[in-house]
């Protein structure tokens, strides 16, 4: 069975840092990506960043470029999201998701075809 377990959320002051972890296991796709999605209070969930397992292709939404870094440790089946210079607008629940991909398009192109969602982890950034 596929398992996705997000962790690492918490309360941090603006300008601070957090690292989220997503333990992912059980995938049987030829290739897949892990994405991080953010749901701010009262808003829809949106893609933040993703990384493809086969070639390490990454993607960042504009609002986090230069502040967030996604990485993976394939031996540990874990994907990390290092979040620096956090802003109050980064507050919300962060979900990791797993989905099949191909290498013809960047990993964000498959956000509409998520196969598995993990439970979220709450990040609160105080001003």
């Amino acid at each position: 069975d596929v398992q996705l377990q997000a962790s690492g959320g918490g309360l941090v002051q603006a300008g601070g840092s957090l690292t989220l972890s997503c333990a992912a296991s059980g995938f049987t796709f030829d290739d897949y990506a892990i994405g991080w999605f953010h749901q701010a209070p009262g808003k829809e969930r949106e893609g933040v960043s993703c990384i493809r397992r086969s070639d390490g292709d990454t993607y960042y939404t504009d609002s986090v470029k230069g502040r967030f870094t996604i990485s993976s440790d394939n031996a540990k089946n874990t994907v990390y999201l290092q979040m620096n210079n956090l802003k109050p607008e980064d507050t919300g629940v962060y979900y990791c998701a797993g989905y099949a991909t191909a290498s013809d398009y960047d990993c964000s192109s498959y956000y509409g075809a998520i196969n598995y969602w993990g439970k979220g982890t709450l990040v609160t950034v105080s001003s």
Side-chain angles (χ1 to χ4, degrees):
D1 292 349
V2 171
Q3 294 189 19
L4 291 163
Q5 182 64 53
S7 61
L11 173 64
V12 64
Q13 289 187 332
S17 298
L18 282 174
T19 299
L20 305 183
S21 299
C22 177
S25 63
F27 287 91
T28 60
F29 301 129
D30 289 341
D31 197 7
Y32 65 91
I34 300 295
W36 284 101
F37 293 76
H38 170 226
Q39 187 164 22
K43 296 188 177 180
E44 292 187 356
R45 190 161 45 189
E46 59 180 9
V48 172
S49 182
C50 57
I51 186 165
R52 183 161 47 222
R53 181 179 176 89
S54 62
D55 59 7
D57 170 60
T58 60
Y59 170 86
Y60 300 92
T61 194
D62 287 346
S63 62
V64 307
K65 285 180 180 177
R67 300 190 298 123
F68 291 10
T69 302
I70 193 169
S71 62
S72 66
D73 184 334
N74 289 346
K76 294 183 178 180
N77 290 323
T78 301
V79 172
Y80 305 97
L81 186 68
Q82 173 69 43
M83 306 188 295
N84 297 327
N85 190 21
L86 283 160
K87 303 177 180 181
E89 52 263 42
D90 296 320
T91 292
V93 180
Y94 284 76
Y95 299 87
C96 62
Y99 51 100
T101 66
S103 60
D104 49 350
Y105 298 102
D106 70 69
C107 54
S108 71
S109 299
Y110 298 86
Y111 281 172
I114 301 297
N115 299 102
Y116 304 99
W117 289 98
K119 293 182 179 180
T121 185
L122 178 63
V123 172
T124 303
V125 184
S126 64
S127 58

